[in-house]
Amino acid sequence: MVSPSAFVRTLIVAALAAVLAFAPAHAQQVVTITTTTVTWTYDDAGVEDDAAADSDEGVIDEGAALLGDEALAEDADFAAARRYAPAATLATLGHAKARFGPFSVIDGATVRMAGDVTSATPRQFAAMLAAYPGLKRLEMLDCPGSLDEEANLILARAIRRAGMETVVPAGGSIRSGAVELWLAGVTRRAAPDAEFGVHSWADEYGREANDYPANDPVHAEYLGYYREMGLNDAKARAFYALTNSTPFDDVRYLTRDDMARFVTLN
């Protein structure tokens, strides 16, 4: 006769054996899949409630978030249209002591520039001079032009007031509004292979320089600027006419020798 305690132990062993036998087969039938969905949203300080925060208006369109040059040119924050699109790859600025927007301070006397002029660039230039008052040489490596023409001319006059020399080094390329910046140098230098790209300006309505009558006051700003930078009246008018002979959406490349017809190079 089996004792009650022995019988209980037998039941426990049998139960454990059944569980062990069943567990592997059962485990093979269970598959768990975990998926994760990530949604990027803007932090909008103007959102009044959670329902508004969850609306489609707060979701980033990743394609639109990566703004190209066309989108930037249409941004209402810019005072005027871009005068020429940037190169695909900006020149390497090398080791820098400090960076201020498109400017990289190389040493106590030299700063290099690569990139567009925006509405913030004059302030960045002023901050740089405050930090490094000994800067006297501006090397322009790859300068596509401006997103804000008013800011571009403000920056140009600041370069002149600072008494800086402007240089387009070997392999350097400056286009559009950047040519005005180069003209601002109290002395100007350019390597034999330096590249100068010019074309007409365009206003916010898409009208170009030649769409306005020759006596329209709109031309006075540029002609006055060229005279301010040392071109006599005849050369100022000739250079202005040359730039405007090429449409806004195109570019005409000039050489160092071409530029020497209009300004003195050192």
Side-chain angles (χ1 to χ4, degrees):
M1 181 175 179
V2 179
S3 66
S5 60
F7 180 74
V8 170
R9 285 196 300 271
T10 300
L11 289 178
I12 292 174
V13 172
L16 288 173
V19 169
L20 292 174
F22 176 75
H26 178 70
Q28 292 171 2
Q29 297 173 16
V30 177
V31 178
T32 302
I33 299 175
T34 303
T35 61
T36 302
T37 301
V38 178
T39 302
W40 295 94
T41 57
Y42 286 113
D43 255 346
D44 190 343
V47 173
E48 296 294 335
D49 53 42
D50 292 339
D54 291 337
S55 71
D56 290 341
E57 293 179 1
V59 179
I60 292 178
D61 179 343
E62 292 184 359
L66 301 175
L67 293 178
D69 295 324
E70 296 80 3
L72 286 172
E74 293 170 0
D75 193 315
D77 289 339
F78 296 124
R82 175 194 296 281
R83 294 193 63 198
Y84 190 61
T89 304
L90 294 178
T92 300
L93 292 174
H95 177 72
K97 297 175 67 174
R99 298 186 189 276
F100 298 82
F103 304 107
S104 292
V105 178
I106 304 305
D107 55 43
T110 304
V111 56
R112 290 178 181 156
M113 181 179 182
D116 284 311
V117 173
T118 71
S119 58
T121 310
R123 295 192 300 274
Q124 293 164 340
F125 182 79
M128 178 181 68
L129 286 186
Y132 297 91
L135 293 173
K136 290 299 177 185
R137 177 183 172 91
L138 174 61
E139 296 182 355
M140 305 177 73
L141 277 67
D142 190 347
C143 303
S146 66
L147 294 170
D148 186 325
E149 282 293 270
E150 182 179 1
N152 196 62
L153 293 179
I154 291 171
L155 175 62
R157 291 183 170 99
I159 291 171
R160 173 57 65 97
R161 286 196 304 273
M164 300 190 80
E165 172 188 52
T166 52
V167 181
V168 183
S173 176
I174 63 174
R175 283 91 70 197
S176 190
V179 176
E180 271 82 54
L181 299 182
W182 178 79
L183 289 173
V186 292
T187 57
R188 312 174 189 97
R189 300 182 188 275
D193 65 343
E195 183 178 79
F196 300 82
V198 299
H199 63 162
S200 175
W201 53 264
D203 63 19
E204 62 269 31
Y205 305 107
R207 293 177 299 196
E208 301 186 15
N210 290 330
D211 293 326
Y212 289 87
N215 61 350
D216 194 289
V218 72
H219 303 297
E221 183 173 19
Y222 284 102
L223 290 171
Y225 173 77
Y226 295 142
R227 295 189 196 100
E228 189 180 334
M229 295 302 127
L231 282 71
N232 62 34
D233 186 67
K235 289 184 176 179
R237 291 182 180 279
F239 184 69
Y240 186 60
L242 175 63
T243 63
N244 293 330
S245 66
T246 301
F248 171 76
D249 58 359
D250 201 353
V251 63
R252 176 173 180 173
Y253 286 101
L254 305 176
T255 66
R256 180 188 188 280
D257 291 340
D258 292 328
M259 295 301 297
R261 294 166 44 207
F262 302 99
V263 297
T264 300
L265 278 73
N266 302 93

